[in-house]
Structures are given as C-alpha cells and as structure tokens.
Amino acid sequence: MYDVAIIGCGPVGALAANLCGKAGLNTLVIEKEANPYPLPRAVHLDHEMMRFFQAADLIDDVVGDMRDTEGHLHVGADLGVIRYMGTKGQARPFGWSNDYFFYQPELEDHLRDALAKYDNVELKLGTEFTLLKQAEGQPVALTISHQGQAQTVDAQWVIACDGARSSVRKFLNIELDDLKFDEPWLVVDAEVDGPVRFPDIWGMPEDADIQQLSVMMCDPKRPATVVPGRGNHRRWEFMLLPDEDPQAMMQPENVAPLMEPWLGAIPHKIVRAATYRFHALIAEQWQQGQVFLAGDAAHQTPPFFGQGMCHGLRDVSNLVWKMELIFKGLAPRSILQTYQEERDPHVRAVISTAVDAGRYICVLDENKAAARDADIREKAASGQLAKTGAGIIPPLKAGVVATHTSGAGERFIQPSLQTDSGEQLMDNILGCGWRLFAANASLAAQAQQTLAQWPAQFNVRVVDCQTLADAGAIAAWLEQHNAKTVVVRPDAYVFGTANSAAELLSQLAQSLSLEIEPCH
C-alpha cells in the first residue's frame, strides 16, 4: 500500500516525489522511460519554482545550473521595441530572479538523484501505467507493467504527470477544453560559442542587454523567438508559414537558412530541430475520484511567457501539502476538491494571457502588424500590460484562501534576513510550512495562545515581525495590506490577513475543517 503513486518522472513528477518524500508519504514513482530524455524541452522557470526547490531541499542541487536572465522583449515589424518586460536592477521581493533558463536533462538528473535520500520513495523506471480501478472509500488499484510483467499496487492517491498525451487522462475519458490556439512552430536548439547576432533594434532601454533577454521578433515575414539558455545553449522558435511542411522544415537544409542571420560564422552545433503545434488546452476534470492530473496531462500552453513547466510544478506543490494534512489526520479528504478550484482559474488566466500574446505575435499581414505595433506600444506605455513576467500571474481566487481579506491568494514575499553567518533567504531560516507573521509581540502571543488549542502536530510557526531582521519588509507588506497578521500556506501563497491573530486562525481552522479542542 502506497500513500501516493506518481505516474511520470519528468520535472513535475520528480518534484512531486521529492515533496512527498519530505512529507513522509510512502510514495511509488513509475516512469516508462529507463533514462531521462537526453535533449532539451522546457527551458524556462521563474522565482516561484526556485522557491519550490527550496521547499523540497533541492535548491543547492539545481541553482548552479540555472542561468539568471533579465526578462522578455517583444520587437515589432519595424524593428522597434513594442513591449519590454525587463527586470534588470529591480527588487526581488520573492528572493529570486524572475527568469531562469536551464537545461532539462540536467534538471531531471538532479531531481531524480535527490530521491535516493528518501527511504519512503520508490522509483521504478521502464515501467508503464496500464489501467486503474477505484471504488468509493477504497484505495486506487493501479496496474503497471515492467518488461511485459504486470503488477497491481494500491495507492490512496494517484498523481498523473504523464505528459500531454497522458495515458491516464485518456483512460479516464477526460476531455480537453480547447482555448482555440493552434499554431505550428519549428524549435531549434543549438550550442553556440559566441553572442547571437540581432538586427538593429530601436527603442531599447539603455541598461538592457539583449543577450540576456528572451526576444520575441514579431515579424510578419516569420515570427521568431530567441531564448538565452544556460551555458552555451540557445533556443530559436520559428513560426511555420501556411505553405510549409513541418517534416520538411526540420531537415538540415531548411534549418540552416533560418539560423544563418542569427549566427553567421559563429561556431555552433545544432542539437535538435523539431516541429510542434503550440496548443492552449485545459482538462475539463483535474480530479476523478482519488486520481489527479498535473502538468501537461492537465493543461498545455503556448510558450510565449515560458510558463508551461511552471504550471505543473505549481500543481504538485498545491496537491502535496494538502495530502500531507490528510495523511496526518489534520484535514478531511474533501480538501483535495480545492485542487481544481484553485489551479484551474489560475492556469486559465495565465494561458489566456499567453494566447493573447500569441495572437498578436503570429500576425502575418504587414498592415495588421503595423496596427498591432502601435496598439501594443500604447497599451504598454499606459500601464495596461504586465511590466514583468511576474505580473501575469494572478492571485488564487478560491479554495483554501480567505478571499475577503486583503492580499489573500497572492504569492508571499521572501526577504533576506540578517543572520550571524550573513544574509539568508527567509525560507531557509523559518522553513516552508505554515507561518503566521504578526506585527508585534502582543499579536504573536495571541497567536501562540490560540494555537495551544490546536492539534499538536499542526505546526504553525509564529513570527513577531519586530524581531525579524528583514529590513522591515514584512512589516511594510502588512501595512500595504492594512493588516497586522498574515498566514502563509506551505506553498508560499497567502491564506489571508486580519488585524486579529485569533480571528485569522479561526478562519484557517474553518477553511481546513480542523477540529479544535477547547483548553481546560
């Protein structure tokens, strides 16, 4: 009997397994491939993912292979900037840069290797899902196959992280909601020994380094993206034109002319050229019984803001802390019904933003492109568009959040704290579980008194902001939200705020259906 069975051990499944391992959940991970896919696929993640790696004790393993970059640039048909989403020189309220690029085979190796430290996590490679059965109140019976030998195992929960062609989703007959974006693109990965060549672009901010930006060329002759990977890895994405054959465009004789303007005589090696259809799809059901879809099994997004893998990592972070509460007897199983309630609108909003960008990026008519350029510049100048990638991520609107309170559902800040050994990010010092930040000692004491009535195993760390060496960052956050206390969830989203610690904890207990024993 397993607590959790995870199907698929790409980055999403592997993070889920690490989080389950740390939570003490007895976990089985199956992956049909014996070895990680050797070529790059996903390349971008943001500050929130780095924080998840902190929570899973993985940050030291992965940070050395991340390339910290400076945001996004959209260039119009006239080679002028239409939208700049740069972060150079800006504050990092969440503790990390907003944009990182990585090499997926390296990342997967790190995430899988880390599982070795958990006796409660079993990884079966070369093993496929074949079928499952579930009945009310019973564990999921999962049939898996390794080298033709079938085996049935039981698990309280199943997390399907088995990709866009998810066998589990198909087995459960879950339909996809099509957001009506479907465009063919050619993706080219290369190792490049030198800076990429760009045309003369006007309107660039003085401090912007184009080699450090993800650059979207909104050229009606052929839209293209140039991405700064880690090390000497670079990626290009070229929109295919209506009369082009996707299979033919992957051939070296067709790839070379596309790359020549960017590389010229710069030494380089083409690592991969593959065509994809950029989709916008969301599963109509993310949960069926005790089986949950996560990552590409649940949603697929056009890559224009690099949020595809980020969505999946958010999915499993959302699931695992709720499973841990149930495992410890601190919440009813019904809390998992908040998974889709929280994640679907969140994902839908970000994918819709990517689709909107994709629609203006993919304009192939020169007159429409000129009108597009003027429109985007006007919107950007008037503040109608997000100024950074972080700005496209909305707060949670439902679920385990006190939605009527200021700041509820936002990602909480992570300031640096002064310690005897120097500056440390807050989560490294305070941990990544439930936290209540209080504006003063009196409110902190009120919180401790209230928590004395709670089950001992429900650990909420209470922090008096007046004793926190964070240069006043959290006190300023509370003042901005007109509150004196804030509760932060294990996934670093704000549960809610209030002036009274007792009131806020009462709301949390109610939201979790937590039974509180009165003190005698």
Side-chain angles (χ1 to χ4, degrees):
M1 168 68 75
Y2 296 93
D3 297 309
V4 182
I6 298 168
I7 301 174
C9 197
V12 173
L15 177 65
N18 277 277
L19 291 170
C20 285
K22 186 175 179 181
L25 299 167
N26 189 24
T27 304
L28 171 68
V29 190
I30 69 165
E31 166 56 52
K32 68 179 180 180
E33 301 298 336
N35 298 294
Y37 188 70
L39 298 175
R41 289 177 291 184
V43 294
H44 172 271
L45 50 79
D46 65 18
H47 61 83
E48 189 177 357
M49 308 309 113
M50 300 297 277
R51 201 167 183 183
F52 291 157
F53 294 146
Q54 275 184 279
D57 298 331
L58 293 165
I59 194 65
D60 291 340
D61 299 322
V62 304
V63 69
D65 292 328
M66 297 290 170
R67 180 175 181 175
D68 177 352
T69 57
E70 297 174 8
H72 309 267
L73 181 75
H74 290 188
V75 179
D78 57 2
L79 294 183
V81 174
I82 59 174
R83 187 176 184 184
Y84 175 60
M85 303 171 71
T87 57
K88 185 173 183 178
Q90 294 188 16
R92 297 181 174 185
F94 305 105
W96 296 99
S97 172
N98 196 66
D99 297 282
Y100 291 87
F101 288 87
F102 62 93
Y103 196 72
Q104 184 167 334
E106 290 177 343
L107 178 63
E108 290 196 31
D109 282 342
H110 291 315
L111 299 186
R112 290 188 185 189
D113 290 348
L115 296 176
K117 65 177 176 279
Y118 295 114
D119 293 336
N120 56 316
V121 177
E122 181 180 356
L123 174 60
K124 288 181 176 288
L125 299 175
T127 303
E128 291 189 72
F129 158 80
T130 57
L131 61 88
L132 62 84
K133 295 179 181 179
Q134 54 180 333
E136 185 71 28
Q138 299 297 316
V140 180
L142 190 68
T143 302
I144 59 179
S145 177
H146 177 71
Q147 296 181 347
Q149 297 296 312
Q151 176 188 6
T152 299
V153 298
D154 290 340
Q156 294 294 330
W157 302 293
V158 174
I159 306 176
C161 308
D162 55 340
R165 297 182 179 90
S166 172
S167 297
V168 177
R169 187 187 67 234
K170 292 174 183 175
F171 182 86
L172 297 174
N173 293 316
I174 294 175
E175 298 293 328
L176 293 168
D177 182 10
D178 189 343
L179 302 190
K180 309 301 181 187
F181 186 89
D182 183 8
E183 295 289 349
W185 284 63
L186 172 70
V187 176
V188 181
D189 290 286
E191 295 173 357
V192 182
D193 294 327
V196 174
R197 301 194 311 185
F198 285 90
D200 291 334
I201 296 170
W202 60 269
M204 287 281 294
E206 290 185 5
D207 62 347
D209 180 354
I210 199 165
Q211 300 291 334
Q212 296 293 324
L213 292 164
S214 173
V215 181
M216 185 71 245
M217 303 295 296
C218 305
D219 181 356
K221 296 182 180 66
R222 186 187 298 277
T225 305
V226 188
V227 170
R230 76 92 183 94
N232 68 346
H233 174 230
R234 297 290 182 275
R235 169 169 290 179
W236 284 259
E237 296 168 353
F238 300 100
M239 184 178 172
L240 298 187
L241 303 179
D243 59 345
E244 291 176 334
D245 176 68
Q247 291 299 316
M249 291 303 293
M250 292 189 290
Q251 302 309 311
E253 64 271 19
N254 291 319
V255 172
L258 294 175
M259 301 297 290
E260 197 282 333
W262 305 97
L263 295 174
I266 299 169
H268 66 277
K269 175 186 175 183
I270 303 297
V271 174
R272 182 185 70 141
T275 54
Y276 290 89
R277 299 198 76 87
F278 289 173
H279 294 299
L281 303 167
I282 302 175
E284 293 181 353
Q285 283 179 276
W286 295 38
Q287 175 184 3
Q288 192 175 111
Q290 300 307 312
V291 181
F292 302 85
L293 304 182
D296 286 353
H299 40 69
Q300 295 150 52
T301 181
F304 301 116
F305 292 112
Q307 285 292 314
M309 196 183 80
C310 298
H311 288 317
L313 300 182
R314 290 187 189 101
D315 293 343
V316 295
S317 177
N318 186 293
L319 276 172
V320 173
W321 70 259
K322 295 172 183 176
M323 290 175 173
E324 182 181 4
L325 282 184
I326 299 167
F327 174 70
K328 293 179 176 178
L330 296 170
R333 298 176 77 89
S334 60
I335 192 177
L336 290 170
Q337 294 172 9
T338 65
Y339 171 55
Q340 183 170 357
E341 184 182 12
E342 292 184 1
R343 294 294 303 130
D344 184 303
H346 200 258
V347 165
R348 199 171 290 269
V350 179
I351 291 181
S352 294
T353 301
V355 167
D356 289 344
R359 287 185 175 135
Y360 76 65
I361 286 165
C362 294
V363 170
L364 299 180
D365 180 274
E366 292 188 4
N367 292 328
K368 291 179 180 178
R372 179 267 325 270
D373 292 353
D375 180 57
I376 297 299
R377 286 186 180 117
E378 181 180 346
K379 288 179 178 177
S382 62
Q384 296 179 54
L385 301 176
K387 293 185 175 5
T388 68
I392 71 171
I393 310 299
L396 300 177
K397 298 293 189 182
V400 187
V401 286
T403 54
H404 60 286
T405 67
S406 177
E410 294 181 7
R411 295 170 294 179
F412 194 60
I413 61 173
Q414 183 183 200
S416 292
L417 307 184
Q418 291 292 339
T419 72
D420 292 341
S421 56
E423 283 194 356
Q424 294 279 341
L425 287 174
M426 181 180 75
D427 292 358
N428 293 342
I429 304 299
L430 301 183
C432 301
W434 291 94
R435 287 160 288 181
L436 184 149
F437 295 90
N440 53 53
S442 175
L443 285 166
Q446 182 187 97
Q448 295 286 19
Q449 183 178 10
T450 302
L451 288 167
Q453 304 172 47
W454 286 37
Q457 65 269 37
F458 197 110
N459 184 29
V460 178
R461 181 153 190 166
V462 177
V463 181
D464 173 5
C465 292
Q466 292 180 331
T467 67
L468 201 60
D470 67 342
I474 293 178
W477 189 96
L478 287 168
E479 184 175 354
Q480 177 188 351
H481 289 84
N482 195 28
K484 297 189 183 308
T485 61
V486 56
V487 166
V488 181
R489 306 185 335 175
D491 57 1
Y493 281 81
V494 173
F495 165 74
T497 57
N499 287 327
S500 163
E503 175 190 342
L504 185 56
L505 287 169
S506 175
Q507 293 178 53
L508 176 60
Q510 184 176 1
S511 184
L512 298 175
S513 301
L514 190 66
E515 295 185 5
I516 306 299
E517 293 292 334
C519 289
H520 297 290

